[in-house]
Amino acid sequence: MAGNRAVTYVGSGRVEVHDIDYPGLELRDGPGVNPANVGRKTPHGVILKNVATNICGSDQHMVRGRTTAPEGLVLGHEITGEVVETGPDVEFIKVGDLCSVPFNISCGRCRNCKTGKTGICLNVNPDRPGSAYGYVDMGGWVGGQAEYVMVPYADWNLLKFPDKDQAMEKILDLAMLSDIFPTGYHGCVSAKVTTGSTVYIAGAGPVGLAAATSAFLLGAAAVIVGDLNADRLAKARSFGCETVDVSQGEPQDQIEQILGIPEVDCAVDAVGFEARGHGPDGAAVEKPASVLNSLMEITTAGGSLGIPGLYVTGDPGAQEEAAKVGSLSLRLGLGWAKSHAFFTGQCPVMQYNHQLMMAILHDRVQIAKNVDATPIPLEDAPKGYADFDHGAAKKFVLDPHGLIKAAHPDLAVGA
């Protein structure tokens, strides 16, 4: 039997690559596994040999010690891989298929899944609706920043690429389908971005850049991205975005310089609960409600706010007591007075991933270029996490078996 190596959270600010068990078609006990899920049989599952598995900003929240994630948790929910074993109940997915894995784990059987709400499946997490691989309080499904991973309900969850050779040619783009591209797209769809829209996107990390890419795909007339990080703002400008440096002050004045008015039709929060204040002094201070409050100020009356940025119910590292349990000082009265619509929660990846795959395969979008997808060996994951945490304007893609490097020998590999 093959071995398995995986990226493991070992304490605040630290990850290491450890030997772990090769996956089987059963959920075993381990760090973060819900006791009610221990021993859960998955004859409907498959084992994947991971081709690409990405580092996500949501992983960074755990690694920074900003959640209740236990030490020893295997990380990773952005997975693309080749099927090497199928369970006895798998009917349509075959060994050798190259597939994208939605980060939400869903059963395909519950009332939410049947209506497309796969981010809040009722059957995969005993604690609450919704689940994901390698994430705190999500049921304990083992993470995918590894050489091999088990995917349950495979016929339902996996998105098979129609041509393996074509897929490997575009593997860095297709690797974004497991999370950030659908998540950014969902933020824009939720915000009702459409032809001719003016949209402000808070955050120029990978999800924010994916949202900006999605806004153009949806026909936006002006896409404005705000951030504190000069390198990330430069990356947004590289594919046609206007930018706002929020370290210089609140966004309204800079938006007015761009549009002639200090407001936009709609807005997307791609920052989440580790938001910082605006202005020269505020940028160094954590203010978890600052982005949401600013979006209410700059979004026109009757507009919508898409909020794919992560907010949590438990944040032991919060600077405010209320924020430790997910309570924020929102100006809800402002949003009510302006008749804003708010859309929150996990992106239901399966609502979008097939369409976005087709956009990639038919050269309608270059998401890997826009987020600077950068492959690195699995063993370099700790450096990738550190560089990302220090603001690198890159999306690090782990290459556990060297298959990306083999398919793209001209591509620079390394953090």
Side-chain angles (χ1 to χ4, degrees):
M1 180 179 290
N4 199 12
R5 300 275 287 164
V7 180
T8 304
Y9 171 63
V10 295
S12 183
R14 296 187 298 124
V15 300
E16 295 175 356
V17 180
H18 288 172
D19 291 312
I20 66 167
D21 290 338
Y22 186 83
L25 298 176
E26 178 180 329
L27 191 52
R28 306 173 184 134
D29 197 8
V33 180
N34 189 297
N37 263 350
V38 173
R40 183 170 180 165
K41 302 292 192 296
T42 58
H44 41 67
V46 301
I47 309 301
L48 289 187
K49 179 179 182 178
N50 288 333
V51 174
T53 174
N54 314 332
I55 296 174
C56 180
S58 298
D59 299 319
Q60 287 284 21
H61 295 308
M62 291 187 290
V63 173
R64 292 184 187 124
R66 298 300 299 269
T67 72
T68 56
E71 294 183 12
L73 184 73
V74 175
L75 301 171
H77 56 271
E78 299 190 14
I79 306 163
T80 307
E82 179 182 357
V83 177
V84 294
E85 180 183 343
T86 61
D89 292 352
V90 177
E91 186 175 0
F92 303 109
I93 294 293
K94 306 299 182 185
V95 170
D97 288 346
L98 183 58
C99 304
S100 177
V101 184
F103 79 89
N104 341 85
I105 303 170
S106 57
C107 71
R109 297 153 166 79
C110 70
R111 63 181 294 185
N112 285 346
C113 285
K114 288 178 179 180
T115 55
K117 300 173 184 176
T118 55
I120 44 175
C121 174
L122 301 173
N123 288 331
V124 288
N125 184 357
D127 282 338
R128 66 182 71 168
S131 189
Y133 303 88
Y135 213 85
V136 60
D137 296 332
M138 289 290 187
W141 300 90
V142 178
Q145 286 173 15
E147 293 174 321
Y148 298 91
V149 68
M150 188 272 288
V151 174
Y153 304 103
D155 282 327
W156 167 255
N157 279 309
L158 291 178
L159 174 67
K160 176 185 171 181
F161 301 138
D163 183 282
K164 286 179 69 173
D165 291 337
Q166 182 191 28
M168 286 306 298
E169 289 175 7
K170 297 178 178 292
I171 189 62
L172 289 179
D173 293 283
L174 295 171
M176 303 302 115
L177 290 174
S178 57
D179 183 354
I180 67 162
F181 195 10
T183 292
Y185 192 84
H186 177 63
C188 289
V189 170
S190 299
K192 296 184 168 45
V193 176
T194 188
T195 304
S197 294
T198 58
V199 55
Y200 177 78
I201 296 167
V207 170
L209 296 174
T213 301
S214 300
F216 284 123
L217 197 58
L218 288 163
V223 180
I224 306 170
V225 178
D227 205 292
L228 304 162
N229 183 308
D231 290 340
R232 291 179 173 180
L233 290 174
K235 176 57 67 174
R237 288 192 295 273
S238 75
F239 59 94
C241 300
E242 302 285 352
T243 58
V244 165
D245 183 349
V246 297
S247 71
Q248 302 304 306
E250 296 294 335
Q252 291 97 319
D253 292 342
Q254 295 176 69
I255 289 173
E256 185 170 20
Q257 292 172 14
I258 295 166
L259 298 178
I261 56 174
E263 65 180 19
V264 291
D265 297 328
C266 47
V268 176
D269 173 6
V271 178
F273 74 103
E274 288 193 66
R276 296 188 176 275
H278 298 156
D281 298 322
V285 180
E286 192 168 291
K287 294 184 178 180
S290 63
V291 167
L292 291 172
N293 286 332
S294 73
L295 295 190
M296 285 186 274
E297 291 176 350
I298 65 176
T299 301
T300 190
S304 297
L305 278 62
I307 309 173
L310 177 66
Y311 289 87
V312 295
T313 57
D315 176 9
Q319 297 178 16
E320 303 172 4
E321 284 301 312
K324 291 181 179 180
V325 293
S327 295
L328 308 182
S329 299
L330 289 178
R331 294 186 63 194
L332 189 58
L334 175 61
W336 189 94
K338 297 178 76 173
S339 295
H340 284 156
F342 297 76
F343 296 87
T344 67
Q346 280 190 35
C347 164
V349 170
M350 291 172 68
Q351 286 191 20
Y352 311 108
N353 61 353
H354 182 270
Q355 300 95 306
L356 295 176
M357 175 187 74
M358 297 303 289
I360 290 168
L361 294 179
H362 290 273
D363 299 316
R364 303 304 298 170
V365 68
Q366 293 183 304
I367 183 64
K369 178 181 178 182
N370 290 359
V371 301
D372 197 2
T374 302
I376 62 175
L378 183 70
E379 297 296 331
D380 286 356
K383 184 177 187 303
Y385 268 92
D387 289 351
F388 190 36
D389 195 44
H390 286 107
K394 298 177 182 292
K395 175 68 173 177
F396 289 112
V397 179
L398 302 178
D399 184 10
H401 297 276
L403 296 172
I404 299 174
K405 183 177 181 180
H408 299 273
D410 298 335
L411 196 64
V413 178

